[in-house]
Structure formats: structure tokens, C-alpha cells
Amino acid sequence: MPKPLVIVESPAKARTIAGFLGDDFVVESSVGHIRDLPRSAEDVPAELKGTPAGRLGIDIEDHFRPVYLVTPDKKKVATQLRRALKDASELYLATDEDREGEAIAWHVLEVLKPTVPVKRMVFHEITPTAIREAVGSWRDLDMKLVEAQEGRRILDRLVGYELSPVLWKKVMPRLSAGRVQSVATRLVVDRERARMAFRTGSYWDLEGDFSARGVGFRATLVALGGRRLATGRDFDPATGRVAGDLAGEVVCLDEEEARGLADRLDGADFSVASVESSAWKQSPHPPFITSTLQQEAGRKLRFSSARTMAVAQRLYERGYITYMRTDSTHLSEQAITAARRQIGQLYGEEYLPQAPRQYRRKVKNAQEAHEAIRPAGEAIRTPDQVAGELDADERRLYELVWKRTIACQMTDARGRRVSLRLGATSSAGEQATFGASGRTIEFPGYLRAYVEGADDPDAELEDRETPMPPVTEGEAIACEELAATGHTTQPPARYSEASLVKELEARGIGRPSTYAAVIQTIQDRGYVWKKGSALVPSWTAFAVIQLLEEHFGHLVDYGFTARMEEDLDQIARNEGESEKWLESFYFGNGQVGLRDLVAEERIASIDARAVNTIPLGVDAEGRPIAVRVGRYGPYLEQGEERASLPEDLAPDELTIGKAVELLERGRGGGRVLGVDPATGLPVTVRDGRYGPYVQLGEPAEGSGEKPRTASLFKSMQVESVTLEEALALLSLPRVVGVDAEGRSITAQNGRYGPYLKRDTETRSLDTEEQLFTVTMEEAEALLAQPKQRGRRTRAPLAELGPHPDSGAPVRILDGRFGPYVTDGTTNASLPRGVTPEDVTMEEALSLLAARAGKGPARRRKGTGRTAARRAPVKKPAAKKAAAKKATTKKAAAKKAAPKEAATTEPTGEKAAAGTAGPGPARPETGTSGD
């Protein structure tokens, strides 16, 4: 008997809903987007190859009509869904309720072309009650939401596919540009520029330990002789000095002056000059929306945005929290009732406000969901109640959501704030004023449940009390100790993922549902790398942003991007027409449009050398030094001299002094380590084109004989390598011994790593250090083993323990392109600047989760080893000519077709919703609309 067919995006969501609906329904998954724009030249339909529509995936001459097709990896899914539909009585489209979910449902409809009744089923939590209600209260497909998503998709494809080839030609291959990712990259670059331009200032003050009425407290010098003491905010970041307009208003002490004042105040009488006391009241923060969840999980749990959204997706699909992509702070009456009930049970009636708290946020976007992120269900489950059902990450994020939800319905926190001013006269008659302030909590209110974190790790948490003594004006205060304290001004802090999300949202750039994908993309493209939790731009990012600012300025302008976002939202609200807007953006309509900006003659006029040159300044002799970004990476340049740049050196750390040091190191002399006692020749360490190395002696003039050299081990640094280590390196290859047949076995360091050699036989060693430690017995045993094809399995660099979900061992291994973390199913490279010894299990799981969400890497056809070894086939002369003609046509079509180098904006987060089991899911390209 026919049954209703329910189609959702992900297998996990399908399993949960199937369990609620039972045998009366059939539930299937589309595994993300079932249909999309072409992702590579191979995807383009034959009739469109060689046309602008085939290159862009958009027919700009036909009302910006997108070229949709069922992607190769989804053809099997489409077949399964068609088969399921044949036996269905009706079709329920149960994709997520936002703009992209509506678009996924429409694509499913377009591919399946059902003849049975179609119903759109929406819900914001996956619970038995919510699903049953959704079945009974279905609606039609909302085409305005579909059109809104399609408009963003088209815009992002146009920006990405038109700008990215410019970067390939002028900077380096395989780069990408995008409507939001390029602006996000510019934010990170601009912050680094500010750090590079920053000049440190120094100032001193006095800090003292005081006591009164049995209470000790600290106070700081705030004024001297009636003038305010200088603090960090009074300094000009461009000069490192007190800003000119404040010079007469503030006192700036140096070390000598501060210490002298401390001596003159020794033994002085201190008394209370003033007391200010005021009551304070603090209300709880609203419940989580997508952006605030990402920010707070970053601060409190140290989760990346991608990890936060991946964990939240699992919690939603399994019915633990409501839909996690929302800009609404509204809570349903059911949720408020459940929260208030639990507050009364856990904390008491005094923690309940008289009336429920209502949170309203002006939401302009047509896509937004109806509720904030909260625990799902009619009765809120505590973290303890669900702990046994969730993995470690899920437990921590659920607890965060639960605390925030409960706290937002609790009473205000109340207390008292006290500010003291202490006065004293020095032995030289100077009037010194010290200040101290404190805060006490009289009733904790919502702070019993939740305290919000801060982007600044040194910021005072909201629940910290600093009591002050109950003193009165004129009362004597005992000074226990006075000390001069020095301070330096600090450059603006680099963005973390949490603070970058906050900045993007504050500027109205992009949408919170895609922030995680955007931040992941700019890291994947090599524009940004992490130093701890800080986002550091690469020199490639500097070159790309320099090019975009100079030649496509409005596309990376913060204000323009925010206005463009609002225009798109107006279209979604039916206040504008998508086609007219796209036409104006692309063709210009009397102004300069995107098509004009990427015209061949205009691109040809861009000076590639100029956009790839980042000036640093001049050395002591007035000679300019710059960073140049080449096709193989960045390097230093001064005149004809060049020097490599360490990969882990942040741009703001590349001072003129450091640049001069690197250039000197790269010159002929290098750094002298000492003299080789056997030859009397100097031993130097140098930076070369292929990495650092040590050298014995110098080339003999006219002889043409090169001096002996040896590369440094990966574990060695140019700055710290010793003469003893250098001589050991120069002694290689080492003769390990001679076998019974008189054959010599040597340990050598080669292009692909350390190895043993006996005649023509070779075997790889696990580590470079084994070159000096491997014994004859070990060498013979290794050579007796069959030679393995490919790379030998090396010993793990670190064993982190079993995976909390699968139980598989999580390890850090040394790969051909550097260390990576693996659980046997998914591999994830360690970020630049991160050493294997510093990686925790939490960080490893975060890297694995982010990599799994991106899907497996796609190999290019014809570039594998099999293709490389394939012998050429001889052809008769006539066939050669035909083959050449066909090859020329194919190359022309491929040139006109979209490249594989991911030029669109990043994958929409729900595109990875197809994750089934522990294996990685393949994301849909460019579905985010950002």
C-alpha cells in the first residue's frame, strides 16, 4: 500500500524523523543539495561548452538563467529518490525552514517532478510533537525564499568566477575571490597592517597595597599635582607618544620619575579623599542566535566556528536543540514555561522574575527561523539528564545552550559599586591621588546559571567580586607598600574566530549562517593561518587584498558590501527585483559594472609586480626592503638580493631589523658557527632557496669545485643550530657497517627523507635522527623486509588516545607535506605554527570535524602516478593530425569552462549535512549564498 514519502537533507535527520513517524511513512535523504551549478569543466553540458554560460554556469544573456544539473556524486541519490517516489501516496519536503532549506526542497521538486500531492513540512526542532504537528500543518513551497537564495547564489558565482581568474594571472594559481570571503580577508589584513604600523609607547605609574578596617585592597596612582596620569589610551599608535592635544593635560612618568615619586611618598599619610557608591543592576543576555553561539563557544570552549556548527548540527538532527541557523532571539511560550519551571525547581522562586522575559530583535531577513537556539522539547532536559547520550563535544555545547536559555529567564543580578580616591602629599609637596574601585554582588540572579565570556582573556568576568572597605571621607588609610610599575601600549589584538564573527555581524557583512564556512574557506585558501587562537594573514593575502583594493575597490569596501547585503534582503522581502539588481551589478547600466572591471584590456594593464610587492621600509642606509609574493611563495627582496621567509613568521614580526638579519643570513657569508677541527675550514649556516643548510668552507676561486653542504633536520633551527650538530650533518652519509658478503650499508639523507642504502637497495628510515643511531643489526633487519610501495608507515609523532565516538586511535603522523592528525578515517593537516607536541585531543577532534565537513579531496584526472607512468601510444601520421585538432578543441572548451579551483564563495554549512557515520561528507560547492 502506498505510503507518504518524506525527504530531508541528511541521513542523520532522516533516521531521527523516521523513528518518530514509524512504519506509516517512508523517510529518505537528499544528502544536501541534489542539484547545483557546474563545478568543473567536466560537468558542463556539451551544448554549452565553449560559451559564456558554460564558463560561468550562468547564462547572463538569458535573464541570468542558472545552468543547473544533478551533480555526478548525486546521480545515485536522485535514482533512489525517484524509486521511492514511485510507491508514494504523497510527498513531504521536510528540509530546513530557512532560505537554503527552501531552495533544496525546490531542487528536489524540479528533479523528481512528482505527480502525487506535494506538501512543504516545516519545523524548528526535531521532537515527536514537533514532527507530528508539522505533518498536520503543511504549507506550499515559498518561492520568494527560493528566489532569494538563487539570487545570492548567482551573485556569488559571478563574483567568484570573474575575479578568481584575475588572481591566477596576477598573483598565483588556485586562489579564489568571493563576495564575503575577500572582505573577511581584508578585515584580517587591515588589522595586521595596524599592528605593523603601531609604535609602542611606555609609561609608568605607582601601584600600592592599602588596608582599612581589616580589608586589604589595591590602588593605582591616577593623578599628580592635579593632572591626570597618562594611560595607554592617551598614546598615539602611530608615534608611540602621548597624543599632541593631550600633552598639557596628562602627566607621563618614566621609570626614574616613578621610582623617585615612590621614594618621596614613602612614609606619607594617606586618607580617603572621596567615596562614591552606587547600586548596579545587570540583566541576562538574550538566548543564543547563530553568531552569538559561535562567539561564545569560541571563548568558553575554544571551538572553531566550523566545529561549533558541526556539533550543533548533530545536536539538532538528534533532537537535542532547536534549529541552529537563526537570527531570532524569540522563545516560544512553551520554551519559556519549561525554562521558568526548571528555574523554580533548581534555584528557587526568588530567581524567577514576575513576568516572563521577552526578547525581540529586528530581523530584516526573509530567511530567518522563528526561534532562538534552545534545548528542544516541551520539558527542558538538564545536561546531567542527557550526558550519557552525547559525546564530549556535544555535552559541552548542549550545556552552554542550556545555561544560556535558563539564564535568560532569570532575575537581574544586583549589587553595589564603590569608587575610592585616596590622597597623599609627598616629601616634595606633590599632591598624589590614587584610585581604587570594587564591586560586590548582593543578589546573583542569572549569574547563578551563566556568565558570558569576553574576547579579551584578561577582561574581568561579570561574576568576580572585589569588595572595598566601608570607609568615609577623611578616614586614614594604611599604605602597606608602594611600587613603581612600567607599562607598554599594545597593538590592536588580532581577530580570533569569535571576534571576527562579531565584527562581520556588526558591519552587516554576510550572514551568520555562513560565517563558519567563510572563516574556514579563508584558512583553506592560505589567506589566513592560526597562531594559537589568533587569525594571522599570509603575505599572499596581502597581495590579493592589495590587488582588489587598487583595481576592484568597491567589491572589498566594507560599506558597499553591507549595502549589497541589504539590497539582497530587500529582494527577499519582495521590495526589489533580482534580475534588475543583477543586471545593474554586472552590466553597470551607465556605470562601471563587473563585466567592465574584468575586461581583458583592463586586466592586462594591472602591474603584477606592483600588486605582489609589499614595502616594509628602508634599512639604516636608506635602501628599501620589500616582501615579494612569487608563484612559489613570499620572499624578501632588497635590490638584487633575496632571502627566504620563515613560514611561521607573522607579518607584524617582520621588522626592518629582522628583515636585515634574514637578508644577511641569505648572503654568501651566512652565520659562522665555528671551525672544522679536521680541515680548519669555517662552518656556516645559511638560508637557501630549498631551505636552511650548513656549509663547510667557501668555493675555491676558479676551481669550480663546490663546498660540502648538508640540509638541516626538520627539528633544527637556523638560529640555534650548533657547530657540533653542523659537523654531524656534514659527516653524512654515515657508514653503518659491512654485511657478511662485504657490502657496505650507509645511512643517507635524501630528497624524500632519511634512508638506508646497500648497493642499489634502499629502505626508508622513520626519523632523521636515526641516521646517527641506527645499528648494523637494525639496518640488516630493515633491508631484509620486502620493499613497500609508496611511503613507509612512520612512527606516530604523538598518540592522543581513543576517539570519543568511534574508539579509533587519534594520532599525529608525519606526512609528505607536514604533520597531520588522523583517526584512521579522516586526515587533517596541522595549521601553520602549530607543533605536534602542543596539540590536545580537543584541538585534534576540532581539526578532524572541520576536515570531515569539507568532504574528501578531489584528485585531478590524469595527474596520478598511474597516468604519469603510462607510456605514450604511437599513432599513424593521419591520426596524429586528427588527434591534435581534437585536443585543440578540447583545450579551448576547457579554457572556456569553469575551473575546478573553487572560485565561488564557500560551501553552505548545510551542504555538509549529508554526513553519514564517521566518514567525511562531500559538501556542495557554493551553496551558501555568501
Side-chain angles (χ1 to χ4, degrees):
M1 183 174 177
K3 298 178 181 180
L5 172 63
V6 179
I7 296 180
V8 299
E9 302 99 324
S10 78
K13 187 175 173 181
R15 286 192 294 271
T16 305
I17 292 176
F20 296 154
L21 294 177
D23 295 334
D24 295 334
F25 289 76
V26 175
V27 185
E28 296 287 348
S29 166
S30 68
V31 196
H33 277 262
I34 196 172
R35 196 172 70 152
D36 199 5
L37 300 174
R39 293 187 295 189
S40 66
E42 290 81 5
D43 293 344
V44 177
E47 67 273 16
L48 294 179
K49 288 185 183 292
T51 68
R55 180 177 68 86
L56 294 171
I58 307 290
D59 192 342
I60 57 176
E61 302 298 340
D62 186 13
H63 308 283
F64 293 91
R65 180 180 60 84
V67 178
Y68 289 125
L69 49 88
V70 176
T71 52
D73 56 320
K74 292 298 175 64
K75 288 183 177 178
K76 185 177 179 182
V77 175
T79 300
Q80 291 172 341
L81 293 179
R82 288 191 186 99
R83 189 180 301 123
L85 186 60
K86 285 182 180 179
D87 301 323
S89 59
E90 54 187 346
L91 174 61
Y92 284 90
L93 299 172
T95 51
D96 292 335
E97 62 178 333
D98 61 4
R99 184 169 52 215
E100 194 175 341
E102 206 76 11
I104 292 174
W106 176 70
H107 283 300
V108 168
L109 199 62
E110 291 289 296
V111 170
L112 299 185
K113 301 186 183 306
T115 57
V116 296
V118 178
K119 301 174 179 180
R120 177 73 169 105
M121 174 179 160
V122 294
F123 43 86
H124 60 273
E125 61 182 350
I126 303 177
T127 62
T129 301
I131 297 303
R132 284 194 296 269
E133 288 178 356
V135 170
S137 56
W138 57 272
R139 61 167 172 80
D140 292 328
L141 204 63
D142 186 341
M143 289 307 298
K144 288 307 298 180
L145 284 182
V146 174
E147 290 167 13
Q149 193 275 343
E150 185 174 69
R152 286 173 180 268
R153 184 75 179 92
I154 292 171
L155 174 62
D156 292 332
R157 173 58 72 105
L158 292 175
V159 173
Y161 270 51
E162 293 287 26
L163 286 188
S164 296
V166 179
L167 302 184
W168 305 341
K169 293 174 184 176
K170 300 298 178 178
V171 183
M172 67 173 66
R174 312 273 312 162
L175 297 178
S176 72
R179 181 172 62 87
V180 177
Q181 65 157 290
S182 295
V183 180
T185 302
R186 185 190 165 195
L187 279 170
V188 180
V189 169
D190 277 350
R191 181 59 58 88
E192 197 72 10
R193 286 168 171 167
R195 291 175 63 88
M196 294 168 74
F198 181 82
R199 295 296 175 263
T200 299
S202 63
Y203 59 97
W204 285 70
D205 60 22
L206 302 183
E207 291 184 358
D209 291 328
F210 297 87
S211 64
R213 304 193 183 192
V215 178
F217 61 97
R218 292 184 68 81
T220 303
L221 180 68
V222 295
L224 185 64
R227 293 165 61 198
R228 180 171 61 83
L229 213 68
T231 62
R233 64 176 179 271
D234 299 320
F235 284 75
D236 184 344
T239 64
R241 300 188 184 94
V242 172
D245 57 337
L246 296 174
E249 298 179 17
V250 299
V251 178
C252 185
L253 300 179
D254 60 24
E255 181 177 4
E256 184 179 350
E257 291 169 334
R259 294 189 185 281
L261 179 60
D263 291 338
R264 293 193 296 276
L265 285 170
D266 187 23
D269 295 326
F270 284 82
S271 61
V272 178
S274 67
V275 179
E276 292 182 7
S277 178
S278 60
W280 61 266
K281 182 175 71 173
Q282 194 164 285
S283 299
H285 296 278
F288 282 132
I289 59 175
T290 304
S291 59
T292 53
L293 177 65
Q294 291 177 27
Q295 292 169 45
E296 199 69 343
R299 297 177 190 125
K300 285 183 172 290
L301 308 182
R302 295 289 182 259
F303 282 9
S304 67
S305 296
R307 181 179 178 183
T308 299
M309 295 309 291
V311 176
Q313 178 99 23
R314 297 202 302 269
L315 289 171
Y316 164 67
E317 290 178 344
R318 293 171 58 197
Y320 288 98
I321 64 172
T322 53
Y323 191 52
M324 66 287 163
R325 293 184 185 91
T326 175
D327 274 1
S328 172
T329 54
H330 170 67
L331 289 178
S332 66
E333 288 187 16
Q334 170 189 298
I336 291 175
T337 300
R340 287 175 64 85
R341 184 188 310 119
Q342 196 163 88
I343 291 166
Q345 293 169 350
L346 295 177
Y347 302 106
E349 296 298 319
E350 66 271 26
Y351 286 88
L352 275 173
Q354 290 185 349
R357 291 187 184 274
Q358 300 289 344
Y359 295 93
R360 291 286 183 266
R361 189 169 184 261
K362 189 177 181 182
V363 178
K364 297 180 181 180
N365 308 327
Q367 71 156 340
E368 305 312 336
H370 303 304
E371 265 202 270
I373 304 168
R374 61 168 175 82
E378 298 175 6
I380 295 178
R381 291 172 287 180
T382 67
D384 288 342
Q385 289 173 319
V386 300
E389 306 164 18
L390 306 177
D391 66 31
D393 278 4
E394 292 166 349
R395 283 195 300 273
R396 297 175 71 197
L397 195 65
Y398 181 85
E399 183 177 24
L400 197 66
V401 172
W402 176 84
K403 284 181 174 179
R404 181 82 162 219
T405 305
I406 293 298
C408 81
Q409 290 302 315
M410 293 175 73
T411 51
D412 293 338
R414 302 188 304 274
R416 185 155 292 277
R417 189 174 285 109
V418 177
S419 177
L420 301 182
R421 285 292 184 267
L422 311 180
T425 303
S426 73
S427 58
E430 303 151 301
Q431 296 296 318
T433 304
F434 285 72
S437 61
R439 185 180 91 147
T440 55
I441 298 173
E442 296 174 345
F443 181 72
Y446 78 93
L447 295 176
R448 279 286 305 275
Y450 186 82
V451 179
E452 184 168 89
D455 288 320
D456 179 1
D458 296 324
E460 185 175 344
L461 287 177
E462 296 173 1
D463 65 343
R464 186 177 299 170
E465 288 191 272
T466 50
M468 301 299 291
V471 294
T472 59
E473 286 189 22
E475 185 172 337
I477 301 291
C479 177
E480 310 290 346
E481 184 181 6
L482 273 184
T485 306
H487 307 272
T488 56
T489 56
Q490 298 299 312
R494 290 192 180 98
Y495 289 110
S496 63
E497 288 199 16
S499 60
L500 183 57
V501 165
K502 186 176 181 180
E503 185 72 14
L504 288 168
E505 185 179 34
R507 290 178 179 269
I509 296 169
R511 283 294 168 255
S513 60
T514 59
Y515 288 158
V518 167
I519 291 172
Q520 190 62 49
T521 295
I522 63 177
Q523 293 179 71
D524 293 343
R525 296 289 180 269
Y527 294 147
V528 170
W529 54 284
K530 277 190 171 182
K531 189 171 187 178
S533 62
L535 298 175
V536 183
S538 65
W539 289 112
T540 303
F542 273 76
V544 167
I545 295 304
Q546 196 160 267
L547 184 152
L548 294 176
E549 286 175 334
E550 291 179 12
H551 301 281
F552 305 90
H554 70 291
L555 294 181
V556 288
D557 178 78
Y558 300 134
F560 177 82
T561 307
R563 289 192 297 275
M564 184 162 43
E565 202 72 58
E566 175 56 27
D567 289 345
L568 292 169
D569 288 339
Q570 287 178 353
I571 293 168
R573 298 194 299 270
N574 205 21
E575 298 171 8
E577 292 186 31
S578 177
E579 185 182 337
K580 285 185 178 179
W581 194 92
L582 288 169
E583 188 174 298
S584 174
F585 175 80
Y586 191 75
F587 293 113
N589 291 349
Q591 299 179 348
V592 179
L594 179 61
R595 186 175 65 171
D596 302 317
L597 290 173
V598 296
E600 283 191 22
E601 60 273 14
R602 190 174 183 277
I603 300 307
S605 69
I606 296 176
D607 185 346
R609 181 176 179 83
V611 298
N612 286 288
T613 301
I614 300 100
L616 292 179
V618 296
D619 65 9
E621 298 175 12
R623 296 180 301 166
I625 302 175
V627 172
R628 292 264 292 124
V629 177
R631 297 185 80 78
Y632 303 105
Y635 57 90
L636 274 174
E637 183 178 76
Q638 185 179 45
E640 297 298 317
E641 294 184 20
R642 294 181 176 184
S644 301
L645 283 172
E647 280 197 351
D648 58 352
L649 184 68
D652 78 323
E653 296 169 5
L654 184 58
T655 61
I656 289 295
K658 182 67 175 177
V660 169
E661 177 190 329
L662 291 171
L663 286 164
E664 287 177 351
R665 192 190 298 166
R667 291 182 188 129
R671 181 168 72 91
V672 178
L673 300 177
V675 176
D676 174 23
T679 63
L681 295 173
V683 178
T684 53
V685 59
R686 307 162 187 243
D687 266 321
R689 182 178 178 184
Y690 302 107
Y693 65 97
V694 291
Q695 178 175 303
L696 178 64
E698 299 291 341
E701 191 173 344
S703 71
E705 187 177 337
K706 294 183 177 180
R708 189 171 184 78
T709 61
S711 296
L712 265 61
F713 286 175
K714 291 180 182 178
S715 57
M716 296 177 179
Q717 300 294 325
V718 171
E719 297 82 3
S720 58
V721 67
T722 64
L723 175 63
E724 183 180 1
E725 291 171 329
L727 292 173
L729 293 173
L730 290 165
S731 72
L732 294 172
R734 176 174 76 93
V735 177
V736 180
V738 178
D739 67 9
E741 299 177 22
R743 295 175 297 178
S744 178
I745 299 175
T746 58
Q748 307 189 30
N749 210 5
R751 181 180 178 186
Y752 300 109
Y755 65 98
L756 292 171
K757 184 175 183 181
R758 180 175 61 189
D759 293 340
T760 59
E761 279 188 284
T762 60
R763 297 291 187 275
S764 295
L765 292 170
D766 289 332
T767 67
E768 290 174 314
E769 284 69 24
Q770 284 182 288
L771 290 168
F772 300 118
T773 61
V774 64
T775 65
M776 187 63 183
E777 183 181 358
E778 292 169 338
E780 288 187 306
L782 190 56
L783 287 162
Q785 296 176 10
K787 188 168 185 177
Q788 299 179 5
R789 287 191 173 273
R791 295 172 56 81
R792 281 189 74 241
T793 302
R794 297 182 177 181
L797 299 176
E799 295 271 10
L800 302 179
H803 194 290
D805 293 340
S806 64
V810 178
R811 298 169 172 163
I812 299 177
L813 304 179
D814 188 17
R816 180 176 180 182
F817 302 106
Y820 64 96
V821 61
T822 181
D823 61 357
T825 302
T826 304
N827 300 336
S829 298
L830 295 191
R832 285 172 56 185
V834 175
T835 59
E837 298 78 19
D838 296 334
V839 178
T840 64
M841 174 63 91
E842 282 185 7
E843 291 166 338
L845 295 177
S846 176
L847 292 169
L848 291 170
R851 184 65 188 88
K854 288 160 51 187
R858 297 177 65 185
R859 286 191 64 174
R860 286 171 162 264
K861 292 185 179 180
T863 59
R865 291 185 179 179
T866 305
R869 290 197 298 267
R870 194 176 293 139
V873 179
K874 292 185 178 180
K875 300 180 181 178
K879 287 188 177 180
K880 278 186 180 180
K884 184 176 181 181
K885 187 175 181 181
T887 303
T888 304
K889 284 185 176 180
K890 185 175 181 182
K894 190 167 185 179
K895 185 177 181 182
K899 305 275 184 173
E900 175 121 10
T903 58
T904 57
E905 279 292 310
T907 299
E909 293 186 40
K910 61 167 56 69
T915 306
R922 181 184 296 279
E924 301 300 307
T925 302
T927 56
S928 71
D930 280 328

